[in-house]
Amino acid sequence: MADHPDFEASAKPIAASVEASSLGDQLATIRLALATSPIRKQLLWACLGIVAVIVATSIGQVLLNRWNEPFYDALARRDMQGFLHQLLVFSAIAGGLVVLNVGQTWLDQTIRLKLREALTVDLIGEWMRPARAFRLANAGAIGVNPDQRLQQDAGHLSDLSTGLGIGLLQSFILLVSFVGVLWSLSSGFVFHVGGYSLAIPGYMVWAAILYAGTASWLSWLVGRPLIRFNSDRYTREAELRSSVVRVNENVDAIALAHGEADARRRLELDLGTVLGAMRRIYSAQINLSWVTDTYGWITVVAPILVAAPVYFAGDISFGGLMMAVGAFNQVHSSLRWFINNIGGIADWRATLMRVADFRIALAETDVLHHSERRIEFGENPDGRLTFDKLEIASRDGCTKLAEPHVEIRAGERVMITGDPRAGKTLFFRAIAGLWPWGSGRIGMPAGEVPAFVPRKPYFPLGTLREVLDHADAAVSDAEISAVLAEVGLGRLSSSLDRSARWERELSDDEQRLLAFARLVLRQPKWVIIDEALDTFDGATLRRVLSMLEARLADAAILNIGRGQQNIEFFPRSLAIVKDVERPALKPVRVRAGAIEPPPAVAKAHQQA
């Protein structure tokens, strides 16, 4: 994809679009995903439940703080009866708080689970819309390693959002609850300096705000680079995992080529980038620890130091001092939520960016598809397949049929050939609607859905029976066994209910034979084949064509191949040509900063 300047130029705005997305855009995207989720009501009720629990917990915390004064005063007076009474009060308050804490834990886990379900189901649904995954894969860096964004990033974002969100809500409610308590306690604080008395309204509230605000500002200043470092780490981790999977899927080829050393070197390079990213994160975390740990230790004595002048002046009792210290700690704890979670906030910001930008890119691919100059698709009510002045944009010219107007009727069998660089697979993808860029018109037979047979068939995970008839009405075992025998795979008749990775258990030719068996079981009226017949030897090809002749006698079959014609089965032939003199169609920008259409799809063209 990167070997042609025109395609490099059109790929770059994709990354620019992702980088330009704002926090507001990203939050709006996630909000849309949750608002349209089928489990949004369950998620909403869980959120309302945890708000109620946190409010109840805050009330308990206020009661517990008020308990400090009579308890410590009873200790100061050595009042045993008062001491025992306060222990009973403490037991009642603490017991209620334990129940609330357990309920909060359950709701916390429920929200994490439901949030992940909602996000992941939404991303899978958006990704698996017709042809989107194909378009995104050819849209630049944003389409690389979607598995990490769907699985790891969505799960991590759910955990971080739940943990940080509940913590922030809890801190806010505690702050509201204790600011009033601390303000009222501060009203009795009078400073005596040089014979003068000075009262500062809300003295301890202002002290807590100043103390926590300074710490928050320093923490953000030191911890902000973690956003960029975490995002980079997730990208490197995805590249390492992709390399490991690629090696695992090609171990036989690597062993035959004695390529273990090269594979190991590639894996070690990818690992090195991951370790480098982690070192940057750890270095930033160490710098952040200097700030947070320093403030953490100062906090042990800070509230006592703030209230000490009033206590030593005799204006408050020891119990009053402990009550003020407790309220100060609660207010300060709420205010320093940002300090305690700066690392998590940076991680959340980086993960939100990856998940939201992925979903934004999915939507942008549709904008491209419907905005760029493209091939016109229509339906022919008389049941014909037509190509009118069809030109398919490619990296080095236009792929087209030698005849400007082509008409194929139901039941016809047509062989479509071309030179190796003519763009036969590009032509196949254009008919399927996967490659819409170009000009001209493709008229599909009205009411018919053609069956497309690519060179490399796809088999879903599951039993062989599901592989063969998962998309249509079930067929009998006898019918399946008969078709398998006709293509030379009769041995698989006993494995219909066995689950396996069939693309690994079968050779390439066997996979194509299984694909043709699946094809005839579905009985399509139109079949379009992309070089899937070209690799068969003479006997196998005759067997497959004989089965198609018998079982799809009325179907129209178009075989796009390298020219190995069977004149008896394909009496008509067409030619694909490449017009290298005609320049590729130029892209049209959708909007400033948006993803541009990917004639950067050179990757797919090269495969053709």
Side-chain angles (χ1 to χ4, degrees):
M1 220 166 95
D3 59 348
H4 193 277
D6 291 342
F7 295 95
E8 288 180 355
S10 59
K12 288 177 182 177
I14 298 169
S17 171
V18 171
E19 291 173 2
S21 65
S22 66
L23 176 61
D25 292 336
Q26 294 161 8
L27 291 175
T29 297
I30 299 301
R31 185 168 58 251
L32 176 62
L34 297 179
T36 56
S37 172
I39 64 168
R40 60 186 180 278
K41 290 185 178 179
Q42 301 174 41
L43 188 59
L44 177 61
W45 280 113
C47 291
L48 291 176
I50 206 162
V51 170
V53 168
I54 290 174
V55 170
T57 301
S58 298
I59 294 173
Q61 294 280 9
V62 171
L63 294 175
L64 188 62
N65 180 258
R66 291 178 180 174
W67 169 86
N68 279 322
E69 184 173 16
F71 177 73
Y72 284 106
D73 283 343
L75 282 177
R77 296 192 307 266
R78 293 180 173 83
D79 181 359
M80 177 60 71
Q81 185 176 356
F83 172 76
L84 294 176
H85 174 71
Q86 291 304 319
L87 285 181
L88 292 176
V89 174
F90 173 80
S91 299
I93 297 174
L97 289 173
V98 167
V99 173
L100 290 171
N101 288 340
V102 172
Q104 181 173 329
T105 300
W106 179 79
L107 287 168
D108 178 295
Q109 294 172 347
T110 299
I111 292 173
R112 291 173 192 264
L113 183 65
K114 293 300 180 182
L115 185 57
R116 179 170 187 181
E117 179 182 355
L119 280 178
T120 307
V121 168
D122 174 79
L123 289 175
I124 291 174
E126 293 294 311
W127 188 47
M128 285 291 100
R129 288 195 181 187
R132 263 194 181 177
F134 172 82
R135 295 171 196 154
L136 189 69
N138 293 287
I142 191 66
V144 177
N145 301 316
D147 55 302
Q148 186 187 42
R149 299 177 192 260
L150 288 165
Q151 184 263 328
Q152 181 176 325
D153 291 344
H156 196 43
L157 179 61
S158 301
D159 288 341
L160 287 172
S161 298
T162 303
L164 292 173
I166 291 175
L168 179 59
L169 176 63
Q170 195 163 20
S171 295
F172 175 76
I173 293 176
L174 282 173
L175 177 63
V176 172
S177 302
F178 279 94
V179 159
V181 175
L182 192 59
W183 187 282
S184 63
L185 288 173
S186 300
S187 63
F189 284 21
V190 180
F191 297 90
H192 304 281
V193 181
Y196 294 94
S197 297
L198 176 65
I200 303 176
Y203 160 68
M204 292 198 72
V205 174
W206 300 119
I209 292 174
L210 179 62
Y211 181 69
T214 304
S216 298
W217 178 75
L218 286 175
S219 297
W220 174 246
L221 195 65
V222 176
R224 187 175 182 180
L226 282 169
I227 296 175
R228 184 176 70 256
F229 295 159
N230 277 305
S231 180
D232 181 60
R233 176 193 174 181
Y234 293 141
T235 300
R236 304 305 178 190
E237 293 277 13
E239 292 172 353
L240 175 60
R241 185 173 64 246
S242 178
S243 295
V244 172
V245 170
R246 186 165 56 249
V247 169
N248 184 57
E249 291 179 345
N250 295 277
V251 288
D252 51 346
I254 291 173
L256 290 172
H258 303 291
E260 288 86 354
D262 289 336
R264 183 182 64 194
R265 187 158 47 250
R266 177 71 260 175
L267 291 175
E268 288 176 348
L269 285 173
D270 288 340
L271 175 62
T273 62
V274 171
L275 296 177
M278 293 178 69
R279 288 189 191 98
R280 288 189 289 273
I281 291 174
Y282 294 159
S283 178
Q285 287 176 338
I286 291 171
N287 293 334
L288 182 61
S289 294
W290 281 105
V291 177
T292 56
D293 290 353
T294 299
Y295 271 89
W297 283 109
I298 294 175
T299 302
V300 174
V301 296
I304 296 177
L305 293 175
V306 169
V310 181
Y311 173 73
F312 285 113
D315 291 330
I316 58 172
S317 66
F318 180 68
L321 172 66
M322 298 310 296
M323 185 176 174
V325 168
F328 181 94
N329 283 333
Q330 290 286 3
V331 171
H332 175 258
S333 176
S334 300
L335 291 172
R336 77 187 304 269
W337 173 87
F338 183 82
I339 307 168
N340 295 336
N341 293 280
I342 182 64
I345 293 171
D347 195 4
W348 172 82
R349 184 70 180 85
T351 310
L352 172 68
M353 189 186 307
R354 289 180 57 80
V355 174
D357 285 345
F358 180 70
R359 196 180 190 281
I360 290 171
L362 287 171
E364 290 287 359
T365 58
D366 285 349
V367 173
L368 287 179
H369 180 66
H370 295 294
S371 301
E372 168 64 354
R373 183 180 177 187
R374 69 188 195 282
I375 299 166
E376 177 186 353
F377 281 83
E379 288 192 346
N380 296 321
D382 56 3
R384 299 171 301 143
L385 173 64
T386 58
F387 304 100
D388 296 312
K389 297 181 180 180
L390 177 64
E391 293 185 346
I392 305 165
S394 63
R395 183 180 60 168
D396 49 2
C398 291
T399 294
K400 60 184 180 179
L401 289 168
E403 303 174 33
H405 302 282
V406 173
E407 176 183 309
I408 300 173
R409 298 186 178 276
E412 278 197 82
R413 294 168 186 167
V414 183
M415 184 73 190
I416 303 176
T417 62
D419 293 336
R421 299 289 295 176
K424 295 185 291 295
T425 293
L426 204 62
F427 182 76
F428 174 78
R429 288 175 173 170
I431 301 174
L434 296 179
W435 190 285
W437 298 283
S439 63
R441 182 181 186 274
I442 297 177
M444 305 299 289
E448 297 292 342
V449 179
F452 293 92
V453 184
R455 288 179 294 178
K456 181 69 174 176
Y458 164 73
F459 302 122
L461 294 174
T463 65
L464 186 60
R465 187 190 311 279
E466 293 170 335
V467 167
L468 290 171
D469 64 8
H470 75 283
D472 295 296
V475 294
S476 67
D477 288 2
E479 183 75 3
I480 294 176
S481 297
V483 171
L484 288 174
E486 288 181 36
V487 297
L489 297 176
R491 62 183 175 82
L492 296 178
S493 297
S494 60
S495 302
L496 293 181
D497 294 311
R498 182 167 65 88
S499 294
R501 293 284 300 272
W502 298 104
E503 74 278 7
R504 292 188 177 183
E505 291 207 1
L506 303 176
S507 67
D508 289 346
D509 274 355
E510 287 176 328
Q511 291 180 48
R512 294 187 181 96
L513 290 172
L514 188 62
F516 279 106
R518 177 173 60 186
L519 176 71
V520 299
L521 287 170
R522 296 180 181 179
Q523 291 291 298
K525 296 298 183 182
W526 288 82
V527 179
I528 302 173
I529 304 169
D530 179 31
E531 298 187 338
L533 294 172
D534 289 354
T535 61
F536 294 144
D537 58 32
T540 303
L541 179 60
R542 286 191 294 272
R543 186 164 61 244
V544 172
L545 293 180
S546 176
M547 180 187 67
L548 295 177
E549 177 74 44
R551 293 185 175 272
L552 297 180
D554 298 327
I557 302 177
L558 285 68
N559 180 38
I560 303 170
R562 293 197 294 264
Q564 299 173 1
Q565 300 184 37
N566 185 302
I567 298 177
E568 294 181 359
F569 193 86
F570 296 106
R572 182 182 178 186
S573 65
L574 298 171
I576 294 175
V577 297
K578 173 66 67 66
D579 185 353
V580 297
E581 300 297 327
R582 183 179 177 83
L585 300 176
K586 297 299 183 182
V588 177
R589 181 180 292 273
V590 176
R591 58 183 174 82
I595 304 175
E596 292 192 357
V601 285
K603 171 184 177 183
H605 171 68
Q606 290 168 342
Q607 294 173 348

